[in-house]
Amino acid sequence: MPQVVRSRNGALHGPSPVPPLPHRFRSLADREAVEVLHRAARVLVASLPALTDRLVEALYAQEPAYRAAIDSDRAEVWQEVHHSLRHNVGSLIQPREFRESAHRTSRWIGEIRAEQGVPLDAVLHAFRMGGAMVWQDLVDETARRDPDDIRLLVHVAADVWNFVDEHCGVVADAYRQAERRLSWRRENRQRLMVAALLDGTARIADLAEAAEMLGLPEQGRYAVLAVAVGPRGPGAVAAGGGHGAGLVSASDAGVARHGPGLAARPPVVLPAAHPGAAALWHPGPDAEFAILPLTGPPGELSELAAALDVPAGTRAGIGSAVEGLAALGDARRLAETALRACPASGGTVLLDEHLPDALVVSSPALAGALADRVLGPLDRLDPADRGVIVETLTAWLDADGSAQRAGARLYCHRNTVLNRLRRFEQLTGRCLTRPRDAVEVSLALAARRLLGT
């Protein structure tokens, strides 16, 4: 039966247009072979229920992936097999009338098996089993009717098996397309779910589904890591800002990768031995966020912050730990606060270790007012003179009030440090030995450093 199907190689790339029927057979043997094939195929059409029963039993016995489907709904599988056999055997007799409907059936089977999660190899094996059973029945029926005609089937054997290969190609193409659609839907649902968790808009009723979907415990401990590149801008990481779509898993060596539409950013590498390396990354308009599962002791975040590999110019902020997926919105806001407390030059800030700075960036208007009130008198000085006083004051505070250690940092004598501090007190009216004044000075310096006020 020439031209019933296309070549074996072409079948692997999906369906092709229906070829025109030949005007004549290649030889008298071809004509006789096709007539023998048609006679046997008509008998198969008449006995399709019995053929379907045998094929379903064979699938149950030989293809484990189909066993669960047959146990679950044998009637549905039976109807699917019967429908496929009816169209495919009909295509052997009337290719023009049946070929497109046979393709539709094969595509439908490929799609539903992909949706059910049956492996593609199992689906293709099932089709080849059906092809082998049909061919064997064609041979048996021909032998029963006229054994001498079996030799004629040799002329159509390649066409029949090319036909089987063609439908395997149709099934595989439909299966892969359905698999891509399912993968896109699954990833899109994950993106939307992660966005809702980080925004704090996820419904309580959806948390169990989110936990299963993302492979995270609903009542586990979490923190959020926020990462941004470059200096802070006016709208950088505004609290409550929206997030774009694009979920990626950074479990492979803990490297953050980027979804479509994002500018390339230097990767932040999480320590592979840390549970947080299995982070879920989600891009926002000004920063990327990672949900970090926590399973270790209370100092776990400090160890993670210390081990975090942050490239030059990249800022990273880690918020405080929270309990449960429902609190991830709060965790994200804490991470944003930590990110705003990062130096403009880059680095990592763990919120729990920089709470005074966090207070400053959380209320920039008040922090700016405090800086103007405390440090404003210095603005009347020459910039170089003002810079020396601020540098000395900062070094003294960082040295826990030790003029000796501050002098060592500044490469000057301790008396020089003390003289500069006294000058600051005279200019501002502040007393650095008074705790309240010391606190206000420290916060004012943080405001100038972080907010540029």
Side-chain angles (χ1 to χ4, degrees):
M1 41 175 249
Q3 302 299 327
V4 169
V5 295
R6 58 203 169 99
S7 70
R8 185 180 299 262
N9 290 334
L12 298 178
H13 298 88
S16 63
V18 178
L21 291 179
H23 295 294
R24 60 186 179 82
F25 294 104
R26 290 169 294 189
S27 67
L28 180 61
D30 285 338
R31 179 190 296 274
E32 293 174 349
V34 169
E35 291 174 352
V36 169
L37 177 69
H38 285 181
R39 283 197 300 270
R42 290 189 186 97
V43 174
L44 262 63
V45 170
S47 60
L48 272 183
L51 175 59
T52 302
D53 287 340
R54 287 190 290 117
L55 181 52
V56 171
E57 288 299 329
L59 287 173
Y60 190 88
Q62 300 178 39
E63 184 46 71
Y66 269 76
R67 200 167 296 151
I70 295 172
D71 284 334
S72 175
D73 195 337
R74 190 182 191 89
E76 180 184 358
V77 176
W78 193 97
Q79 288 294 339
E80 173 192 310
V81 172
H82 184 268
H83 196 62
S84 178
L85 288 173
R86 180 164 60 86
H87 285 88
N88 291 337
V89 175
S91 294
L92 298 178
I93 304 170
Q94 297 176 292
R96 184 184 295 276
E97 289 80 359
F98 279 90
R99 185 179 181 188
E100 185 52 41
S101 61
H103 278 188
R104 284 197 301 269
T105 299
S106 295
R107 285 194 293 268
W108 170 72
I109 291 173
E111 290 172 356
I112 63 170
R113 289 303 174 213
E115 292 172 358
Q116 294 169 350
V118 178
L120 177 57
D121 286 347
V123 181
L124 296 179
H125 183 211
F127 263 77
R128 293 189 178 103
M129 286 176 63
M133 189 170 289
V134 166
W135 175 250
Q136 187 60 51
D137 280 12
L138 291 171
V139 172
D140 291 345
E141 174 57 27
T142 302
R144 184 188 66 79
R145 183 182 292 272
D146 190 345
D148 291 340
D149 287 343
I150 291 179
R151 60 183 176 80
L152 292 172
L153 290 181
V154 173
H155 294 272
V156 294
D159 290 324
V160 171
W161 284 106
N162 281 342
F163 179 87
V164 174
D165 278 352
E166 176 182 11
H167 278 263
C168 284
V170 172
V171 167
D173 184 62
Y175 186 102
R176 293 188 182 104
Q177 289 184 23
E179 199 171 39
R180 285 193 292 271
R181 289 195 302 271
L182 292 168
S183 177
W184 181 87
R185 290 173 190 165
R186 180 170 57 253
E187 291 174 1
N188 194 50
R189 287 182 63 205
Q190 288 178 333
R191 284 193 291 267
L192 294 174
M193 184 61 72
V194 171
L197 289 171
L198 289 173
D199 284 339
T201 58
R203 299 182 304 174
I204 297 298
D206 294 335
L207 293 179
E209 179 187 358
E212 181 179 0
M213 182 190 307
L214 303 175
L216 299 172
E218 183 178 351
Q219 300 303 328
R221 290 175 60 248
Y222 298 97
V224 170
L225 164 67
V227 178
V229 178
R232 294 180 298 271
V237 198
H243 300 86
L247 168 70
V248 294
S249 172
S251 57
D252 299 337
V255 179
R257 297 187 294 274
H258 305 89
L262 288 175
R265 295 172 176 171
V268 169
V269 181
L270 295 159
H274 194 278
L280 290 177
W281 287 86
H282 186 81
D286 301 298
E288 292 192 42
F289 300 90
I291 299 175
L292 306 177
L294 304 177
T295 59
E300 180 180 13
L301 280 178
S302 297
E303 296 175 5
L304 176 61
L308 199 63
D309 185 359
V310 180
T314 299
R315 294 176 294 115
I318 304 175
S320 303
V322 298
E323 296 290 336
L325 292 178
L328 281 178
D330 294 333
R332 189 210 86 228
R333 287 184 283 274
L334 293 172
E336 288 175 333
T337 300
L339 186 62
R340 293 198 298 275
C342 282
S345 58
T348 302
V349 166
L350 176 60
L351 183 67
D352 291 348
E353 296 176 357
H354 294 79
L355 291 177
D357 289 350
L359 289 174
V360 168
V361 298
S362 295
S363 185
L366 290 177
L370 176 64
D372 290 341
R373 181 184 178 90
V374 174
L375 304 177
L378 300 182
D379 294 339
R380 296 189 293 269
L381 299 177
D382 178 84
D385 195 13
R386 179 175 64 248
V388 169
I389 292 179
V390 169
E391 182 184 29
T392 303
L393 189 60
T394 302
W396 180 76
L397 289 170
D398 289 343
D400 298 325
S402 169
Q404 185 73 36
R405 291 201 301 272
R409 293 186 183 188
L410 298 173
Y411 302 101
C412 64
H413 195 273
R414 65 181 296 275
N415 290 338
T416 303
V417 172
L418 293 173
N419 288 334
R420 292 171 182 173
L421 295 179
R422 279 194 293 270
R423 188 178 180 207
F424 169 79
E425 292 178 328
Q426 292 167 358
L427 289 169
T428 62
R430 303 283 166 170
C431 178
L432 294 175
T433 58
R434 186 183 302 135
R436 177 170 179 168
D437 284 359
V439 169
E440 289 183 352
V441 169
S442 178
L443 292 175
L445 288 171
R448 286 285 173 95
R449 184 181 76 252
L450 296 170
L451 305 177
T453 58

